[in-house]
Amino acid sequence: MDEHISEAIGRPDLIRLDDGLLCLRFETMKVVSALAAVRHLLDTGAVRRGDTLIDSSSGIYAYALALACHRYGMRCHIVGSTTVDHTLRTQLDILGAHLEQMPPSSSLKLDQSRRVARVRDILRAHPDYHWMRQYHDDIHYLGYETVAERIHDLTGGSPLTVVGGVGSGASTGALTHYLRKRSVDVRLVGVQPYGSVTFGSEHVADPDIIIAGIGSSIPFGNVRHDLYDILHWLSFDAALAGSVDLLRRHAVFAGLSTGAAYLTARWERHEEPRRTTLFIAADTGHRYADTVFARHPEAARIEDLAPRTVSGTDELCLPWSRMSWDGSPAPEVATLG
């Protein structure tokens, strides 16, 4: 029996969608990393109950950290993106988290930079606060070890391809790190939006939106580029088609990043039919009800979509590109100074 709702929320479901195609479905994925990170900080004496934990978030991590703070008796301070919606603001308020929401900005890079600058200002005024640094502190890997153990047990250690949005680097990086400690044949396929610096697509603009949570306009220290074998870049329209098809075909209601991962996983499964392919569904589709699912009549048939294989990031083009990464180091633009 769980002692707190966060434990239930953080526990993923492993669903077989098709022969050799698995979905690792979370209600809210970052609860896994936030719970383990806060527990580790308490166990090591880095923080004490009642201390204030602070971080920047575009939404999902804010909820995860608020739940972890509620679970362990901590105070929570979030510097949030303009994308934090009314529902989440209300949840954070009732959970006792303090949210400072940034005003609208002209670009994702400006929004992220403003949030980090504001966190630094607050820390100067409150040096006793602990900065969680979800993008840079590898304590956010810890919570995924038990998830990796379960995946390994349920798949029997067979050749496995893991597919997921890169984002902060913690989820796909940690799962692969822990899986490779148990099996020699684990491939990692990262999913990116156009316009992200993480794997060098900052020069290609998506006319619609940058898919939240799987890319970045600033370097992230938790992304271990050497873990990735293949990269896929998908546009908003392609991800929309994936999200709609996933719901229609398999009844899985998940977010836009999941739609992109689903398309990618189907392609990789087709290319390597002898391997089991698992993709990560990081959250539910509720916040995309209007922007994605209400537009389902205009979604392309996924059978009509295929990636263009490129040999370098200078060849990237919409709506979908695929490239072998083969453990290459981070591009210069994604390297922390």
Side-chain angles (χ1 to χ4, degrees):
M1 183 180 296
D2 295 318
E3 297 182 3
H4 191 268
I5 185 63
S6 58
E7 296 165 7
I9 291 173
R11 187 183 305 111
D13 303 306
L14 189 59
I15 306 164
R16 184 179 300 279
L17 301 186
D18 207 341
D19 183 32
L21 182 63
L22 308 179
C23 174
L24 185 67
R25 180 196 174 274
F26 291 86
E27 182 176 337
T28 303
M29 183 180 66
K30 290 190 177 182
V31 173
V32 175
S33 57
L35 279 176
V38 173
R39 188 164 56 244
H40 177 78
L41 291 171
L42 286 166
D43 290 346
T44 58
V47 300
R48 296 177 297 176
R49 288 181 181 268
D51 284 356
T52 298
L53 307 182
I54 185 171
D55 212 343
S56 160
S57 173
S58 60
I60 295 177
Y61 186 77
Y63 179 53
L65 186 59
L67 284 174
C69 287
H70 189 277
R71 168 71 175 83
Y72 291 112
M74 316 293 290
R75 294 185 175 91
C76 180
H77 191 129
I78 298 293
V79 177
S81 169
T82 184
T83 58
V84 175
D85 61 23
H86 173 72
T87 300
L88 181 54
R89 289 197 301 270
T90 303
Q91 287 178 288
L92 293 176
D93 190 28
I94 295 173
L95 285 168
H98 177 66
L99 170 68
E100 287 188 46
Q101 192 166 8
M102 290 289 100
S105 60
S106 59
S107 70
L108 176 62
K109 182 174 184 177
L110 181 58
D111 177 63
Q112 289 181 318
S113 298
R114 278 180 176 174
R115 284 189 274 132
V116 172
R118 178 57 185 151
V119 169
R120 294 185 185 279
D121 287 342
I122 294 168
L123 288 170
R124 280 191 287 270
H126 300 278
D128 55 316
Y129 286 11
H130 182 86
W131 187 7
M132 293 299 294
R133 302 178 74 245
Q134 64 150 322
Y135 303 130
H136 307 298
D137 194 330
D138 63 7
I139 61 170
H140 292 92
Y141 274 50
L142 299 175
Y144 293 101
E145 184 167 16
T146 56
V147 180
E149 289 174 353
R150 182 171 176 234
I151 292 169
H152 181 267
D153 291 344
L154 292 176
T155 59
S158 61
L160 183 67
T161 299
V162 176
V163 179
V166 177
S168 70
S171 59
T172 49
L175 285 173
T176 302
H177 169 75
Y178 292 122
L179 283 166
R180 284 177 178 168
K181 290 174 67 174
R182 294 163 174 80
S183 175
V184 296
D185 195 357
V186 178
R187 301 182 71 201
L188 178 55
V189 179
V191 179
Q192 282 275 276
Y194 293 96
S196 171
V197 305
T198 310
F199 285 89
S201 69
E202 70 283 351
H203 60 290
V204 184
D206 189 326
D208 289 291
I209 64 169
I210 293 180
I211 304 169
I214 65 172
S216 176
S217 63
I218 58 177
F220 286 168
N222 272 341
V223 178
R224 287 182 49 190
H225 292 75
D226 62 300
L227 292 175
Y228 294 84
D229 299 293
I230 302 287
L231 263 296
H232 284 247
W233 291 262
L234 288 95
S235 69
F236 171 84
D237 287 341
L240 182 150
S243 296
V244 170
D245 189 88
L246 180 60
L247 179 56
R248 179 179 289 131
R249 192 185 302 256
H250 299 291
V252 176
F253 185 48
L256 195 60
S257 66
T258 302
Y262 167 63
L263 272 189
T264 298
R266 282 177 55 92
W267 182 265
E268 292 298 327
R269 169 65 180 157
H270 178 267
E271 292 294 290
E272 296 279 355
R274 296 183 180 180
R275 304 179 65 86
T276 297
T277 301
L278 175 149
F279 70 94
I280 299 171
D283 62 356
T284 65
H286 294 87
R287 65 175 176 153
Y288 297 100
D290 294 328
T291 56
V292 172
F293 293 100
R295 297 172 57 180
H296 67 89
E298 63 190 77
R301 294 176 66 253
I302 63 169
E303 292 82 5
D304 297 333
L305 300 174
R308 175 190 178 188
T309 298
V310 300
S311 58
T313 55
D314 58 327
E315 300 174 13
L316 293 175
C317 63
L318 280 74
W320 186 0
S321 298
R322 178 185 186 271
M323 188 176 85
S324 295
W325 190 260
D326 297 328
S328 299
E332 186 175 352
V333 70
T335 303
L336 291 170

